[in-house]
Amino acid sequence: MAKRVRFNSLQSSNSVCKFRQASFDLLTDFLVNLNSQNTDKLNSLSKCCGCFKDKNIVGYIFFMTEELNLDPQVGYHATELLQSFMTKHIIELLATVTSQGAPAAPPTSYEDAVLDMLKEKFPFIVFSCLQLASKMSLHVNVIDFNAAVHFLKSLGYTATHETLLDSEMLVLKGLDFKLNVTNPLIYVEVLLEVLGHNEPSIPIESTYDLCQQVLQFVVLERAAIYDALLSVTTKSQQPSIEQREKFVTVTEDCMLLGVAVVAVALYIFCVGQWEKVVGELSNITGISKRSIIDFAHVTLLHIVDSSVL
């Protein structure tokens, strides 16, 4: 009988797997690495976490990813880089502004002063995150500066090689040159691979494209879906401030998001096997069946309401 992959037999690895081709040892390595990174992230959340995963910003990143013919992985990677960088950068800018004192003339607040400092360079910061993410991908060509200048010009932004280089260095230094971050699509891919290993009858290859559509939908509709999930979890239409603060770890939990996306896609694709899927996903990750079902149910309702899929 084939070995079943779970968290309790894992070692670390950074390798990449393809469906039905990774060995048991590699799969356990993938899982422990993702689980460890996810746990570390949840244990060190900033007050600004999630602020730069706004629908308009993420939609803009996805638009650029598609226009530049980049792998979807690059868009998700860029989103995570932007969130990490901006969280640190805003704190630094606030510290600078407060040390100098708020200006006498408008803007009249520290926050407005910071926004004034950011508004001109923010589009270039977003693009730099995408450009850096493309350099980290094994599946796409790197966006060179000539292509970048031409593309930004088509969007109405005037940029030079120097402008883009300065922006890229700003992001690199802000992230301490640590670009190897995980993103939700990686979790989806690894969970599908493990699911296919443990339950060979589940059609994971046929489901992958649908998983990508579901993930993009959840990421873009993040605010509405997580608000609905919070209401379900707390059994309240008006959760308290304390409940919202505690719920932040749920909104940033990539393993939970990955599990929910796989569950939703397989519900749509092969509802007859869904009970088996939920049970196996719970067994793989340790996430309760109730949590998986609640997240999947909320997402499915939003999909039906939006008629996206």
Side-chain angles (χ1 to χ4, degrees):
M1 182 176 179
K3 297 179 181 177
R4 302 179 78 80
V5 182
R6 297 183 66 177
F7 281 142
N8 56 3
S9 59
L10 306 176
Q11 303 291 326
S12 174
S13 173
N14 290 317
S15 302
V16 177
C17 69
K18 296 181 180 180
F19 293 133
R20 311 282 185 181
Q21 295 184 24
S23 67
F24 169 82
D25 289 335
L26 278 177
L27 286 178
T28 54
D29 286 350
F30 295 151
L31 266 178
V32 74
N33 187 44
L34 289 181
N35 187 47
S36 176
Q37 291 187 58
N38 191 54
T39 301
D40 289 344
K41 175 184 176 182
L42 295 179
N43 288 335
S44 57
L45 291 177
S46 159
K47 291 182 179 180
C48 299
C49 65
C51 293
F52 291 90
K53 294 180 180 178
D54 172 81
K55 181 176 182 177
N56 292 328
I57 296 174
V58 176
Y60 181 55
I61 291 174
F62 287 167
F63 164 76
M64 291 193 295
T65 301
E66 185 174 349
E67 287 295 303
L68 290 165
N69 295 315
L70 302 175
D71 189 276
Q73 195 81 247
V74 175
Y76 289 104
H77 195 149
T79 300
E80 296 301 321
L81 291 179
L82 179 66
Q83 176 64 43
S84 297
F85 170 75
M86 290 304 299
T87 298
K88 296 179 180 179
H89 191 53
I90 282 184
I91 291 173
E92 291 172 356
L93 290 178
L94 278 171
T96 301
V97 171
T98 53
S99 67
Q100 296 173 348
T108 57
S109 71
Y110 296 128
E111 290 80 4
D112 287 342
V114 167
L115 288 175
D116 266 10
M117 296 167 70
L118 278 173
K119 64 182 180 182
E120 289 187 4
K121 62 181 180 180
F122 185 68
F124 300 112
I125 289 173
V126 175
F127 188 82
S128 292
C129 289
L130 187 69
Q131 193 169 17
L132 289 168
S134 77
K135 294 179 181 180
M136 296 294 292
S137 174
L138 300 176
H139 308 290
V140 297
N141 294 322
V142 174
I143 308 170
D144 63 39
F145 283 116
N146 288 329
V149 168
H150 178 74
F151 178 70
L152 287 170
K153 184 178 180 180
S154 72
L155 297 181
Y157 297 108
T158 301
T160 64
H161 289 201
E162 184 178 4
T163 301
L164 293 176
L165 183 59
D166 288 345
S167 179
E168 186 173 289
M169 288 305 299
L170 177 68
V171 174
L172 278 170
K173 291 178 180 178
L175 294 172
D176 296 322
F177 294 86
K178 297 175 183 177
L179 303 180
N180 191 25
V181 298
T182 57
N183 65 70
L185 185 53
I186 294 174
Y187 286 80
V188 169
E189 291 176 348
V190 173
L191 286 168
L192 275 176
E193 177 72 8
V194 174
L195 191 61
H197 172 89
N198 289 358
E199 292 291 346
S201 65
I202 295 175
I204 59 170
E205 297 88 351
S206 305
T207 313
Y208 181 55
D209 286 345
L210 184 55
C211 280
Q212 291 193 69
Q213 293 179 59
V214 173
L215 177 60
Q216 185 177 85
F217 177 80
V218 175
V219 170
L220 289 173
E221 300 299 326
R222 168 189 171 91
I225 289 175
Y226 279 116
D227 276 351
L229 184 59
L230 174 59
S231 294
V232 170
T233 303
T234 60
K235 297 180 173 59
S236 171
Q237 293 301 312
Q238 295 183 319
S240 66
I241 294 176
E242 183 181 2
Q243 287 173 321
R244 289 186 178 279
E245 289 177 347
K246 289 182 178 179
F247 194 71
V248 170
T249 56
V250 175
T251 67
E252 298 302 312
D253 190 336
C254 282
M255 189 66 77
L256 175 62
L257 175 56
V259 164
V261 166
V262 172
V264 168
L266 283 166
Y267 180 89
I268 296 171
F269 193 80
C270 52
V271 67
Q273 291 183 277
W274 199 63
E275 187 175 342
K276 179 193 291 187
V277 167
V278 172
E280 190 56 43
L281 287 172
S282 178
N283 188 46
I284 290 168
T285 63
I287 297 172
S288 71
K289 292 181 183 179
R290 183 75 267 158
S291 295
I292 297 171
I293 291 171
D294 285 346
F295 202 150
H297 179 68
V298 165
T299 302
L300 284 163
L301 287 177
H302 277 78
I303 289 173
V304 171
D305 288 343
S306 68
S307 301
V308 168
L309 297 179

